[in-house]
Amino acid sequence: MEWSFLAAEELSAALRAGEVTSVELTEEAIARIDRDDKVINAICVPDFDRARAAARSADQARARGEDRPLLGIPVTVKESYNIAGLPTTWGMPMHRNYVPSEDAVQVSRLKAAGAVILGKTNVPFMLRDWQSFNEIYGTTNNPWDHGRTSGGSSGGSAAALASGFGALSIGSDLAGSLRNPAHFCGVYAHKPTFGLVATRGMVPPPAPALPVDGDLAVCGPMARTARDLTLLLDVMAGPDPLTLGIAYHLTLPPARHQRLSDFRVLVLDEHPLIATGSAVRAGVNRVADALVDGGARVERHSPLLPDLTEAAKLYAQLMFSNAGARIPAEAYEQLRTRAAGLSAGDQGLDAARLRGMVLSHRDWIEADIHRELHRHSWRRLFAEFDAVVCPITPIPAFPHDHNPNPEQRRLDIDGVEYPYVDQLVWAGLATMPGLPATAIPAGRSPEGLPVGVQLIGPMFEDRTPLRLAELLEQKIGGFQAPQ
């Protein structure tokens, strides 16, 4: 039997039943990587010797009667996570030789749960792209079309899952970096509520692995089924043991509903700042039709929805203020001069990003207050709805575009060009207020490319969009292996 595309849940059952060993699963995964990854290039740092040793240990532990959540399951880890003894570069050539001595907290949790780590997956330079390529490890190709991106920044992880290179992976998300690759490669991902998953050790080299959460950014699970997302989130979730974990334990509330007919869902397929491509719109509508057919209450408009234009600009300011804080002083002063030259009437996304790069602390506090107002608006909305269904990005996976200047790249949406960076507005809908969002497959484009949508849920009620994802998987189907 071939095991590579089975869910982690199914593999665990087979391991418990003695139908397969972890060593056999690991050897099959390694053989598949050796055979197929030459053209995909998802696994940038293999760790096969230690994986084999971990698999042997897992089989021995099971023989002793142990049974942990991921015992013996082959998984991969995004390159940006520290794994002791392996390089962490974030795709930056100047750090190609940086090797941390301590595991990231999420790597430690994977190992404690019994997972077998096959290696690390590819990322873009500094994790700043919706493509995964860098000078150290090269380009990760989409398993459905090798001439197209696998997404970013967790593109290596999504491509690995779609190719059968392990049952699970962990990634991170600031600008859709979990959801975008899942959409492009036809797999599942979950962006947790901000602060739900400890991020220590998911840090650019050679920065120290401190127990702090950077604004907006989260770590999260990726899988080939919705139930596997929940399985992995339960391993990952919880406060850092060095800080809040000293005093608090996590208890996530159950999903609001168990039946599709009980869900109240707001469906969005239009954004005021960017068009929605026909293939993505069809995916959103396919999910909406399934919800209606399942008896859910579905609405297309609500006065409770926060202003999408204001939300996108606020997100741009907050996100780009992070980038501006880390650039050299001379470049920063040049940006300040450019920002000062903007007219007061220039309220576009480009202007919001530029102003964000040089945001003063006082202005950041003001932006943060506006974010809290948006969060409160979302609380009111989620008193009337259980989830929001919307695009992740406007189009399916696009052809590789390695123009070193992202401002010169263009996104082709049904024959009309848009600024490349503007595609982040849909991802920011959940990221800016810190809401959980689950990416699910929602069909194929006319060219046969995967199309996904995101299910945004109430803050700290992550099981609600995850349960909805599971019900929709039963209704419309889920992952399919590339042909």
Side-chain angles (χ1 to χ4, degrees):
M1 179 176 180
E2 187 173 63
W3 303 94
S4 295
F5 286 102
L6 293 187
E9 186 179 47
E10 296 172 304
L11 295 179
S12 291
L15 286 164
R16 292 188 187 101
E19 297 171 4
V20 69
T21 66
S22 179
V23 167
E24 289 170 332
L25 294 180
T26 301
E27 290 294 349
E28 182 178 303
I30 290 172
R32 181 174 286 274
I33 293 168
D34 284 340
R35 187 189 72 198
D36 296 343
D37 202 36
K38 294 179 180 65
V39 294
I40 302 298
N41 193 34
I43 310 299
C44 61
V45 184
D47 198 20
F48 296 159
D49 288 344
R50 291 199 294 186
R52 290 182 170 106
R56 290 192 295 270
S57 295
D59 288 335
Q60 292 165 2
R62 193 171 293 281
R64 294 192 299 268
E66 295 184 28
D67 189 11
R68 286 172 270 159
L70 303 179
L71 187 58
I73 303 298
V75 307
T76 60
V77 171
K78 187 176 181 177
E79 199 271 358
S80 50
Y81 285 85
N82 287 346
I83 299 181
L86 297 182
T88 297
T89 71
W90 286 43
M92 295 185 281
M94 67 287 284
H95 297 303
R96 67 169 67 241
N97 296 319
Y98 177 74
V99 178
S101 58
E102 185 179 3
D103 289 339
V105 65
Q106 292 305 331
V107 173
S108 297
R109 288 176 178 176
L110 283 179
K111 290 180 177 179
V116 174
I117 298 175
L118 297 166
K120 304 180 86 174
T121 58
N122 202 21
V123 295
F125 178 79
M126 294 185 69
L127 312 190
R128 294 181 180 176
D129 207 338
W130 296 283
Q131 305 174 77
S132 292
F133 70 95
N134 59 75
E135 292 182 20
I136 304 172
Y137 301 121
T139 300
T140 298
N141 297 316
N142 192 304
W144 290 86
D145 181 340
H146 300 164
R148 295 176 184 267
T149 176
S150 63
S153 61
S154 308
S157 288
L161 287 168
S163 302
F165 305 161
L168 302 166
S169 194
I170 60 173
S172 61
D173 194 309
L174 172 66
S177 289
L178 284 159
R179 294 161 285 163
N180 166 281
H183 159 58
F184 284 171
C185 293
V187 299
Y188 289 80
H190 181 69
K191 186 201 86 66
T193 297
F194 179 77
L196 182 69
V197 173
T199 60
R200 176 165 48 91
M202 218 296 295
V203 60
L210 300 175
V212 295
D213 290 320
D215 191 29
L216 302 170
V218 300
C219 298
M222 306 182 77
R224 287 190 293 268
T225 72
R227 287 175 63 89
D228 275 2
L229 281 183
T230 301
L231 172 68
L232 186 49
L233 181 66
D234 285 342
V235 169
M236 300 178 73
D240 194 304
L242 297 184
T243 53
L244 294 177
I246 295 171
Y248 301 110
H249 294 284
L250 176 71
T251 303
L252 274 178
R256 290 185 175 185
H257 311 294
Q258 292 300 313
R259 300 182 306 174
L260 200 59
S261 58
D262 293 331
F263 274 86
R264 304 160 299 167
V265 181
L266 177 63
V267 175
L268 307 175
D269 63 2
E270 293 183 354
H271 196 286
L273 297 179
I274 197 167
T276 302
S278 56
V280 169
R281 190 185 302 274
V284 173
N285 288 333
R286 185 176 186 228
V287 170
D289 291 344
L291 289 166
V292 171
D293 187 64
R297 188 192 113 196
V298 175
E299 302 289 344
R300 292 282 187 161
H301 304 279
S302 172
L304 298 172
L305 183 70
D307 185 272
L308 297 186
T309 297
E310 183 180 80
K313 293 176 182 177
L314 184 56
Y315 171 55
Q317 284 187 307
L318 290 167
M319 185 174 72
F320 279 80
S321 70
N322 280 332
R326 294 175 174 85
I327 63 177
E330 183 178 348
Y332 183 77
E333 288 304 318
Q334 292 174 354
L335 290 172
R336 280 169 53 91
T337 300
R338 285 178 55 195
L342 293 172
S343 69
D346 190 347
Q347 296 297 315
L349 282 175
D350 282 342
R353 289 189 283 264
L354 178 55
R355 291 185 177 112
M357 291 281 280
V358 296
L359 210 62
S360 69
H361 183 62
R362 180 182 181 204
D363 289 340
W364 189 94
I365 294 294
E366 185 68 19
D368 192 41
I369 291 171
H370 282 291
R371 169 165 48 188
E372 286 301 327
L373 292 172
H374 273 259
R375 282 178 177 151
H376 198 58
S377 294
W378 281 106
R379 290 186 189 101
R380 290 197 297 266
L381 183 140
F382 282 121
E384 297 294 328
F385 296 94
D386 303 305
V388 173
V389 174
C390 64
I392 295 166
T393 192
I395 59 173
F398 52 84
H400 296 301
D401 182 353
H402 295 176
N403 187 321
N405 184 357
E407 293 183 1
Q408 295 178 355
R409 300 179 193 168
R410 291 293 179 266
L411 200 68
D412 184 329
I413 304 177
D414 292 346
V416 179
E417 290 190 347
Y418 289 81
Y420 181 78
V421 185
D422 285 4
Q423 64 184 293
L424 60 75
V425 297
W426 281 116
L429 194 61
T431 300
M432 186 272 288
L435 300 173
T438 306
I440 69 169
R444 298 282 176 267
S445 73
E447 297 79 21
L449 297 170
V451 171
V453 303
Q454 60 181 331
L455 316 176
I456 301 176
M459 186 173 288
F460 291 111
E461 294 188 51
D462 291 56
R463 295 195 192 281
T464 294
L466 285 167
R467 176 58 180 165
L468 183 57
E470 182 184 343
L471 293 169
L472 285 166
E473 183 179 14
Q474 297 168 5
K475 189 77 174 172
I476 64 174
F479 169 78
Q480 295 177 355
Q483 303 301 316

